[in-house]
Amino acid sequence: MESNTSPSNPIPIFSTLTSPFESSSKKSDSTRKPLSLWPGMYHSPMTIALWETKSSIFERLLDPPLDAPPQTELLQKTPSQSRMTILYNFSTDYILREQYRDAWNEVRIGKLLEDLDALAGTISVKHCSDDDSTTRPLYLVTASVDKMVLKKPVRVDANLKIAGAVTWVGRSSIEIQLDVTQPATETADAADSVALTANFIFVARDYKTGKAAPVNRLIPETEREKSLYEAAEARNKLRKRKFRDEKKEIENGEADRFEALLAEGRIFCDMPALADRDSILLKILALRTL
């Protein structure tokens, strides 16, 4: 499995012109997973490619033994053990290009975000796997996109590569950094080829109890991995400090402010003529689609 997901041998993404359940010249019907094990006919090409590449892990997650014991001994893993690389052959696959093209001939960021989340989820599963089918797996849920930086437009007429790995772990949380690269030329500098970076936070939950579950430890090896780990550790401490400060504000009178806002909202609804002209109701800003 490692050979299929190593950075030197990226997972290719193909267009999904036909249903993945139909017969293919590349694969016989006997090797295709049954309909119930596919993520869905209309998911993105990235999701389908990841589902097939990591089938040995996902098939166990889809039907786990709920009465199996949890993982008792946490492993120590390196970022390189979870690293994965994806390649979009936009330059040669016209159909794939059209599936991602927006009105400005660039990659649709919303669709790219879906793919980034799918890849980050696969990386987190890879890190948390204990390679033991006798223990019950973990639920891994996207908690937040901690940071996303779009450095330049992502073109749809040139090949695109996404690489990522686990950069930090807490007790039950995992941070994954993904780099979207698209060199302007074949000889372009590696730093100039980075079009987008994103940091995803995943949290682990016990499959049976639904409570927070510990995850495998992370041992950074290279200087860059150590630097990323320290930066993620600093962000985690900042998040915790902000949460504590906000909690204190609520305890020290912020609740009274909420009561005042609710009272002001009732005036808007009952006596609009007496309401503050510098304020507006949240429901007025709501948008709905059919």
Side-chain angles (χ1 to χ4, degrees):
M1 184 182 348
E2 294 297 330
S3 61
N4 292 333
T5 59
S6 63
S8 59
N9 188 21
I11 301 171
I13 305 299
F14 300 101
S15 58
T16 53
L17 181 61
T18 59
S19 166
F21 318 122
E22 296 177 1
S23 300
S24 171
S25 59
K26 297 181 180 179
K27 294 189 176 182
S28 64
D29 292 338
S30 60
T31 61
R32 282 196 173 275
K33 289 185 288 296
L35 181 69
S36 61
L37 292 182
W38 279 88
M41 184 184 301
Y42 302 107
H43 280 231
S44 78
M46 157 80 90
T47 306
I48 294 175
L50 290 177
W51 203 269
E52 187 154 349
T53 302
K54 303 291 292 180
S55 60
S56 61
I57 292 178
F58 280 112
E59 286 176 3
R60 181 166 69 91
L61 290 177
L62 286 171
D63 191 19
L66 295 180
D67 56 346
Q71 181 181 351
T72 56
E73 183 178 353
L74 296 179
L75 306 178
Q76 291 187 342
K77 293 191 174 184
T78 64
S80 60
Q81 288 179 276
S82 64
R83 186 170 301 280
M84 296 183 68
T85 304
I86 300 295
L87 177 64
Y88 297 81
N89 289 301
F90 286 141
S91 62
T92 57
D93 193 331
Y94 175 78
I95 300 299
L96 180 66
R97 192 188 315 164
E98 293 306 309
Q99 286 185 282
Y100 283 83
R101 185 194 301 275
D102 66 8
W104 296 272
N105 290 322
E106 296 174 357
V107 172
R108 289 161 51 195
I109 296 299
K111 195 170 183 65
L112 184 61
L113 179 59
E114 178 186 349
D115 289 359
L116 291 171
D117 185 50
L119 179 57
T122 306
I123 290 172
S124 65
V125 169
K126 195 175 181 184
H127 175 80
C128 293
S129 174
D130 62 349
D131 300 323
D132 185 358
S133 59
T134 63
T135 61
R136 62 174 178 259
L138 301 176
Y139 268 137
L140 291 160
V141 184
T142 308
S144 67
V145 181
D146 188 66
K147 182 178 68 173
M148 181 174 292
V149 180
L150 181 62
K151 299 183 177 181
K152 62 180 182 179
V154 185
R155 309 189 329 271
V156 77
D157 59 347
N159 290 344
L160 189 71
K161 184 180 291 185
I162 305 177
V166 174
T167 55
W168 174 87
V169 297
R171 181 186 177 276
S172 60
S173 55
I174 307 167
E175 179 169 319
I176 297 103
Q177 178 168 309
L178 302 175
D179 294 321
V180 179
T181 57
Q182 189 175 55
T185 62
E186 293 295 331
T187 58
D189 184 72
D192 296 334
S193 66
V194 177
L196 183 147
T197 61
N199 294 80
F200 284 77
I201 304 294
F202 278 72
V203 292
R205 293 290 181 267
D206 186 278
Y207 198 98
K208 185 176 183 180
T209 66
K211 297 180 179 180
V215 296
N216 293 327
R217 303 294 87 198
L218 185 70
I219 308 297
E221 295 178 309
T222 67
E223 289 301 320
R224 183 173 185 275
E225 291 172 353
K226 293 176 181 178
S227 176
L228 291 174
Y229 188 95
E230 292 172 357
E233 180 72 17
R235 287 193 297 270
N236 180 63
K237 290 180 179 179
L238 179 61
R239 283 194 299 268
K240 289 183 177 179
R241 186 163 60 250
K242 285 184 176 180
F243 177 78
R244 287 194 300 267
D245 293 343
E246 290 173 357
K247 187 176 181 180
K248 288 180 180 178
E249 287 181 2
I250 293 176
E251 293 174 349
N252 296 334
E254 194 71 11
D256 295 337
R257 181 170 175 269
F258 294 154
E259 291 294 334
L261 289 173
L262 289 173
E264 187 179 349
R266 284 192 290 271
I267 294 176
F268 262 104
C269 296
D270 299 337
M271 295 177 288
L274 301 179
D276 185 357
R277 294 304 172 188
D278 293 330
S279 302
I280 190 172
L281 289 173
L282 282 175
K283 67 178 182 180
I284 297 177
L285 301 177
L287 296 177
R288 295 179 177 84
T289 58
L290 299 178

